Amino acid sequence: MSPATGAPMGSPSQPLPPAVDVAIVGAGIMGLALAYHLAGVAPRLKIAVIERSYLVSGASGRNGGGLRMQWGDPGNVRLMMESIAECKGLAQELDINLWFRQGGYLFLARSEAGERRLIRNAELHAEVGAPTRLLSAAEAQAIVPQLAVDDLRLASFNPEDGVVFPWPFVWGYASQAVRRGVLLRTHTGVSRVEPLQDGYLLRLSSGETVQAQRVVNATGAWSHTLNRGLGITLPNQPHRHEILSSEPLKPFLDPLVVDLGSGLYCSQSTRGELVAGITLPDAADGSDTSLTLHSSLRFLAHISRTLTRLMPITAAMKVLRQWVGPYDVSPDGDAIVGPSPGHPGFIQVCGFTGHGFMMAPAVGRLLARWIADGTPHPMLTRWDPGRFAAGRQARHEDMIIG
Amino acid sequence: MRRAPPLTDASRPATGLTIDFDGAELPAHPDDTVASALIAAGELMTSRSPKYRRPRGAYCLLGDCGTCLVRVDGQPNVRACLTPVRPGMRVASQNSYGDLDPSALIDAVFRGGIDHHHLVVHPRIVNKLMQDVARNLTGFGTLPDAAPARPAWREDHVPEVLVIGAGRSGRAAAAVLAAAGVDHLLLERRDRLALAADDPTPLPAQLRAGVGVFAAYPHEGLWAAAALDRPDDGHGSAPTLHLVRPRHVILALGAHVPTIPLPGNDLPGVLSARGLLHLLARTGRRTARPIVVIGDGPAAGAHAQALGATLVAPGEVLRIAGRRHVKAVVTRSGRIPCRLVALSPALAPASELAAQAGAALRWTGAGFAPVLDAEGRVQLRAEDHPLAGPPLEGRIHVHADAGTRPDAATGTRPDAATDARPDAATDTRPDAATDTRPDAPPPPAEALWTLWAAGELADLGLAPPASGRAVARAILRALGRPVPEDSHD
Amino acid sequence: MSERCFVCRCEDVTLAELDHTLARGLTTVEEIKRYTGLGTGPCQGKECVGLLCRLLIERGALAPADAQPFTARPPVEPVTFGSLAAASTEDERP
């Protein structure tokens, strides 16, 4: 079945057959990267991706576009080295501009605990082969002259880390997946998934049904709800995160700056806007763990206070827009990937706790291979969804920001 | 680049006030904004556009369109149309190249258009080069010269009524409230001179001019406003943040002037008729003929007459001609040379704050307006279930625990005992009390404030001043206060 | 200078680019905004979202009853980080 004409990136009226081999629910970066790679390694599989809204409507369209290999867990470091290496030629592979710029990430430690983390990480990265180096306050200021460094104890810098513009990332995977024969249906929700003798039946919001041998849950912050319908209980939960952009200015900031203590991150996009977020203590009304997407003054005030202390010149810069996106938070900070407990044909690829976007290029490729030929990759098996019930929670990755 | 000034002010003596624009000294008057001083001096171009590098300048002259941004005293991206001049002010164009015109090259290479997603993707090495170049071409102003000299102030307000906008309807509403002795606050982003140009009668005491309301935060129970950022004037003025927790809010925000999609509609010298007329009223200037008004909005004829301009319907226009600024309007029947073009389309109500506050919106044919009841109360959007329907934007619930109602310690309201809450009758939120899903949001409590709309934002079939008065009287009724007869009706 | 007809002057989005976007199957306000950049500049759609809807209605891509703008987000007036810092009451974490 060919894609609807004039719809290189899927469509609300993309015809769907009564049955497919693999149904991927959710056309965020994870679902689309998976679809693209799966269609590449297993071209005979009938693959459908079903998305409840427009492309980039979820977390994939709302994040700051950062890509880093500066993690605390060696597996994550290696995974991200792969992802970043893949990004170098990805624009040409997907035939779309990604505005991938490797300006580096600069982590700032203003406390003793932070300093220890950066030293530990630098050692780890050296072992794994990531070019992270430690910098003094003066050296950090040489890279970012606008930084106030009086209370800066230590910084770490990796020049290969970078940023992209999130939207074309998604569109690129979407259009190339469609070109490879993936059926991409947008503006259609999956209301229920029912187990069959062999496979699953998906009931769509359009009234249609589609049978699938295997189903992939790539719905991120919405995965909790989709799982519950099948009686799968996994502990990941959505969490509201806020973000903003500033007025566009000529380029002055090369790296993405992260302040460890506050969880603030700030980078300058190709359009010239500062894009920034921060860790915020949860609001009293409990709205942060639901899927509400309202913006708050509390966020603006808190990030402004931190940002103006970190880079005093920003006190004179203007906010252009604030918005919100969901993190799909896993209790041990590690993703949830693989066959679901009790439902081996229902595959999870969620719980990325705010760093799914940057991992998608590598995860999509690895998971596609796993689904196509059945051989799991150790990088993914450590994210086994069964670990929670078995009491085997993963090492808590502590380099989580925003 | 200078040209024959399109505005005259023959009757006003020179005051000796000058501002610096890109290194050249320009004469100005104390009642000028930066935009009016530039236009009067024939300096119509203030920047070049991001993609095509076309000359741009002020358009709407009312603070909305975003193309009059200039650097003022070391601050980037300042709206020239809302910034009053000061002696010796240093103004600079942004993203410009002096007399160089890059648009010709770009037009030659990209005749059809630029799809920046597919621009020079291959080969990789050239793509990287393109990205580096694009990064340096993009962005608007450069970093500010310095951080503000003084930290910002914060002011908290707990008025009974917040009126946003001191145009005709806002001022009329405030007058009714003032006469009834109701505690209210009137915020207006434009300065006092702009208001005097609208209406020369004395400005109300409860007015704070130069304060722009930038957000409604219903979950936190407040509205936020900022004093328009002015470069430090050496007198120690500090930017101020205003946080307001009102019981009633009147949105009297007026309307935006959309552009009219015609070839050349972005040329410097293409202005909104409404904004131009306001500029002339503020500065006492007149236009130097010939001027052309293009429009089919309800006010187009009146605008043309007031400007002494030729009126042309948009359907008659082939293109607006010029290189760095408007030179002529080319119509089906011929070419009309002109100094300025004033557009007069149907207006788009300024509904952004209403939408932020949860208003349901309806399409007006040219823009969006909040849905109202017969008295001017704004209807809120219904809740969306997270898994159905359109995406999550638009979910809103107003509830009491997100912000505190003022108590005796922080502020008193004189007539708390007679407070009437009409909200229940008009509340369109579905009843979430029976929602037993474990991850359902808490059920909405009663609204923190009642939202009203007046003037061009509303559509009560009344002229703005009458509309403002009607809404104010409805609020008096809601507060249980005596409602005066409207002597104007 | 060539004749271009602008729908969004802040971000240089022309009528031709709008039609090109529609031809790629992106027909909703939210999708068009993201693909073309319309409404993401200094005016944040004040000048152009109404015009966009009018053009979509004229082209049969949108029914008037379904017309909605993209999400209104703060701030609608410029405000500096310095001003906003004045509203902060939270302690910074070490």
Side-chain angles (χ1 to χ4, degrees):
Chain A
M1 198 157 298
S2 60
T5 48
M9 298 193 297
S11 126
S13 53
Q14 166 62 52
L16 291 173
V20 297
D21 297 305
V22 180
I24 299 172
V25 186
I29 190 78
M30 217 38 98
L32 288 172
L34 172 62
Y36 167 71
H37 283 292
L38 191 56
V41 297
R44 295 229 186 86
L45 285 182
K46 220 181 254 166
I47 306 166
V49 182
I50 303 167
E51 164 57 47
R52 51 167 224 121
S53 182
Y54 55 92
L55 294 185
V56 309
S57 59
S60 297
R62 295 164 183 275
N63 64 83
L67 301 143
R68 59 172 162 116
M69 59 178 82
Q70 289 190 67
W71 287 94
D73 167 82
N76 286 340
V77 178
R78 281 195 203 94
L79 188 74
M80 277 314 305
M81 286 172 70
E82 244 196 61
S83 244
I84 287 177
E86 183 137 352
C87 284
K88 292 189 181 173
L90 196 57
Q92 288 70 43
E93 185 180 332
L94 300 182
D95 195 24
I96 192 167
N97 276 319
L98 299 177
W99 310 99
F100 175 47
R101 183 176 67 84
Q102 290 177 282
Y105 262 59
L106 182 70
F107 277 87
L108 306 174
R110 295 192 281 152
S111 74
E112 205 189 309
E115 192 177 336
R116 282 197 301 264
R117 276 164 73 187
L118 291 187
I119 294 171
R120 179 208 69 198
N121 283 357
E123 283 165 8
L124 168 68
H125 297 178
E127 282 170 29
V128 177
T132 304
R133 55 182 203 266
L134 293 172
L135 301 180
S136 66
E139 289 170 320
Q141 197 173 50
I143 300 181
V144 182
Q146 297 80 21
L147 275 179
V149 295
D150 326 323
D151 59 348
L152 181 60
R153 298 174 73 112
L154 191 67
S156 76
F157 181 69
N158 184 324
E160 307 225 333
D161 294 337
V163 287
V164 288
F165 187 26
W167 297 336
F169 230 73
V170 174
W171 293 326
Y173 276 120
S175 62
Q176 296 309 310
V178 166
R179 242 171 121 241
R180 285 181 171 179
V182 170
L183 308 171
L184 177 52
R185 163 76 80 87
T186 60
H187 297 91
T188 305
V190 173
S191 332
R192 275 177 67 81
V193 178
E194 294 164 6
L196 299 170
Q197 184 82 318
D198 185 24
Y200 294 90
L201 182 76
L202 285 81
R203 294 195 183 277
L204 309 186
S205 59
S206 54
E208 298 159 273
T209 56
V210 178
Q211 280 187 51
Q213 261 268 290
R214 282 174 291 180
V215 178
V216 180
N217 186 352
T219 55
W222 287 257
S223 60
H224 188 78
T225 326
L226 191 65
N227 285 337
R228 232 191 15 232
L230 264 180
I232 299 172
T233 29
L234 288 166
N236 52 322
Q237 278 213 309
H239 197 267
R240 204 172 79 94
H241 280 254
E242 300 199 51
I243 184 172
L244 61 77
S245 63
S246 77
E247 56 184 332
L249 296 178
K250 292 289 179 206
F252 68 91
L253 181 65
D254 284 336
L256 188 152
V257 176
V258 181
D259 178 53
L260 270 185
S262 60
L264 176 144
Y265 65 89
C266 173
S267 88
Q268 190 175 20
S269 71
T270 303
R271 279 166 49 120
E273 301 160 353
L274 284 189
V275 176
I278 196 169
T279 309
L280 208 55
D282 280 353
D285 62 3
S287 57
D288 290 324
T289 50
S290 62
L291 282 168
T292 52
L293 292 185
H294 62 268
S295 288
S296 74
L297 179 66
R298 201 170 68 99
F299 165 72
L300 284 187
H302 186 64
I303 194 174
S304 296
R305 194 168 114 149
T306 311
L307 185 62
T308 53
R309 283 190 186 165
L310 212 60
M311 292 203 286
I313 194 69
T314 58
M317 287 173 56
K318 299 187 273 286
V319 178
L320 181 67
R321 185 176 178 92
Q322 59 173 140
W323 66 99
V324 180
Y327 277 25
D328 180 26
V329 178
S330 162
D332 58 8
D334 268 20
I336 300 173
V337 180
S340 312
H343 282 276
F346 192 83
I347 297 152
Q348 305 287 332
V349 62
C350 33
F352 281 88
T353 316
H355 44 271
F357 193 89
M358 63 172 83
M359 292 191 169
V363 171
R365 181 190 290 280
L366 296 178
L367 186 57
R369 194 142 287 147
W370 185 359
I371 290 177
D373 62 23
T375 26
H377 194 285
M379 202 104 77
L380 299 186
T381 50
R382 66 204 178 109
W383 289 338
D384 169 31
R387 69 181 185 269
F388 302 104
R392 279 183 287 113
Q393 301 221 83
R395 173 180 176 279
H396 186 97
E397 167 65 69
D398 65 353
M399 294 290 282
I400 294 176
I401 60 181
Chain B
M1 191 197 114
R2 305 287 185 91
R3 60 179 300 238
L7 302 179
T8 66
D9 52 353
S11 57
R12 328 262 315 271
T15 59
L17 199 174
T18 62
I19 62 172
D20 179 298
F21 178 61
D22 282 351
E25 213 177 57
L26 299 184
H29 279 277
D31 48 20
D32 267 324
T33 58
V34 173
S36 65
L38 291 180
I39 294 171
E43 293 288 352
L44 298 175
M45 184 182 113
T46 54
S47 67
R48 285 206 173 254
S49 66
K51 222 161 51 174
Y52 297 111
R53 313 323 260 189
R54 290 165 70 98
R56 286 283 154 78
Y59 164 66
C60 76
L61 296 171
L62 298 166
D64 290 334
C65 74
T67 56
C68 69
L69 302 181
V70 287
R71 189 179 188 83
V72 176
D73 289 338
Q75 276 286 123
N77 301 329
V78 175
R79 287 176 292 186
C81 66
L82 292 187
T83 306
V85 296
R86 278 199 308 269
M89 193 180 241
R90 290 169 296 119
V91 180
S93 60
Q94 297 186 138
N95 230 20
S96 60
Y97 303 86
D99 283 332
L100 220 59
D101 184 3
S103 65
L105 174 63
I106 295 190
D107 285 345
V109 177
F110 302 104
R111 247 177 292 266
I114 298 180
D115 176 353
H116 50 280
H117 301 297
H118 298 100
L119 180 68
V120 193
V121 177
H122 308 269
R124 186 165 136 184
I125 257 183
V126 180
N127 179 247
K128 176 139 196 333
L129 193 66
M130 181 278 294
Q131 287 195 171
D132 290 342
V133 169
R135 182 172 179 236
N136 285 291
L137 288 182
T138 197
F140 235 55
T142 54
L143 268 180
D145 284 355
R150 292 162 62 97
W153 287 114
R154 168 184 161 169
E155 280 190 44
D156 288 83
H157 310 264
V158 190
E160 198 72 38
V161 185
L162 168 64
V163 183
I164 307 179
R168 289 167 296 164
S169 61
R171 278 172 76 165
V176 169
L177 296 173
V182 170
D183 166 41
H184 66 286
L185 179 65
L186 175 59
L187 296 180
E188 164 62 53
R189 64 179 178 171
R190 294 172 299 162
D191 66 355
R192 301 180 96 84
L193 281 174
L195 300 182
D198 272 353
D199 174 353
T201 60
L203 293 174
Q206 300 302 330
L207 166 76
R208 301 291 294 266
V211 177
V213 176
F214 63 83
Y217 292 108
H219 292 81
E220 293 161 288
L222 53 79
W223 296 72
L228 290 196
D229 301 292
R230 290 189 191 82
D232 190 347
D233 60 3
H235 299 296
S237 65
T240 307
L241 189 73
H242 297 265
L243 301 181
V244 191
R245 290 177 164 82
R247 180 65 193 84
H248 291 270
V249 182
I250 301 179
L251 299 172
L253 302 159
H256 308 308
V257 187
T259 188
I260 300 181
L262 296 168
N265 62 338
D266 65 319
L267 278 170
V270 176
L271 307 169
S272 78
R274 180 174 156 117
L276 178 57
L277 284 165
H278 176 78
L279 182 159
L280 299 176
R282 176 197 177 105
T283 61
R285 290 201 172 87
R286 293 201 303 275
T287 51
R289 312 286 162 82
I291 311 285
V292 173
V293 168
I294 303 176
D296 52 6
H303 286 161
Q305 191 161 43
L307 289 169
T310 313
L311 174 63
V312 180
E316 286 301 303
V317 176
L318 293 175
R319 64 192 169 91
I320 301 172
R323 270 196 82 77
R324 298 176 64 115
H325 40 66
V326 147
K327 288 229 165 70
V329 175
V330 180
T331 72
R332 291 179 206 283
S333 10
R335 183 188 167 94
I336 313 172
C338 55
R339 305 256 187 119
L340 292 174
V341 169
L343 301 187
S344 185
L347 300 178
S351 53
E352 293 78 18
L353 279 177
Q356 278 184 36
L361 297 179
R362 63 178 179 85
W363 172 244
T364 67
F368 297 93
V371 175
L372 308 175
D373 69 9
E375 285 193 298
R377 263 183 216 89
V378 172
Q379 308 298 289
L380 299 183
R381 291 188 293 270
E383 301 266 24
D384 288 330
H385 187 290
L387 274 185
L392 296 178
E393 290 100 332
R395 279 195 69 209
I396 197 118
H397 45 263
V398 183
H399 52 124
D401 27 310
T404 51
R405 292 306 308 150
D407 59 18
T410 57
T412 53
R413 283 171 311 182
D415 290 280
T418 55
D419 237 355
R421 299 292 178 92
D423 317 322
T426 57
D427 202 312
T428 54
R429 295 181 303 242
D431 182 16
T434 54
D435 195 329
T436 53
R437 287 170 295 138
D439 59 354
E446 63 188 72
L448 274 176
W449 55 61
T450 310
L451 205 53
W452 308 77
E456 282 166 336
L457 188 57
D459 183 16
L460 302 174
L462 298 169
S467 164
R469 287 193 298 274
V471 165
R473 289 205 304 278
I475 289 178
L476 292 180
R477 268 193 294 280
L479 292 174
R481 304 287 207 102
V483 182
E485 297 263 328
D486 190 2
S487 54
H488 294 87
D489 292 343
Chain C
M1 205 168 56
S2 71
E3 298 177 12
R4 298 190 197 271
C5 183
F6 287 87
V7 180
C8 165
R9 293 177 316 116
C10 294
E11 294 296 312
D12 262 357
V13 181
T14 64
L15 207 53
E17 285 161 7
L18 172 61
D19 287 327
H20 169 79
T21 305
L22 287 167
R24 289 184 68 86
L26 299 174
T27 57
T28 64
V29 164
E30 294 285 1
E31 290 169 317
I32 292 168
K33 165 191 157 186
R34 284 159 174 79
Y35 195 80
T36 63
L38 179 146
T40 62
C43 91
Q44 291 288 294
K46 290 186 189 118
E47 184 186 295
C48 56
V49 68
L51 176 58
L52 172 64
C53 288
R54 219 193 78 203
L55 292 169
L56 291 179
I57 290 170
E58 275 169 21
R59 281 153 175 69
L62 178 65
D66 297 335
Q68 283 292 306
F70 30 79
T71 312
R73 292 278 185 184
V76 300
E77 288 293 310
V79 56
T80 60
F81 291 106
S83 300
L84 291 165
S88 171
T89 51
E90 315 229 16
D91 288 337
E92 264 183 75
R93 299 213 225 133

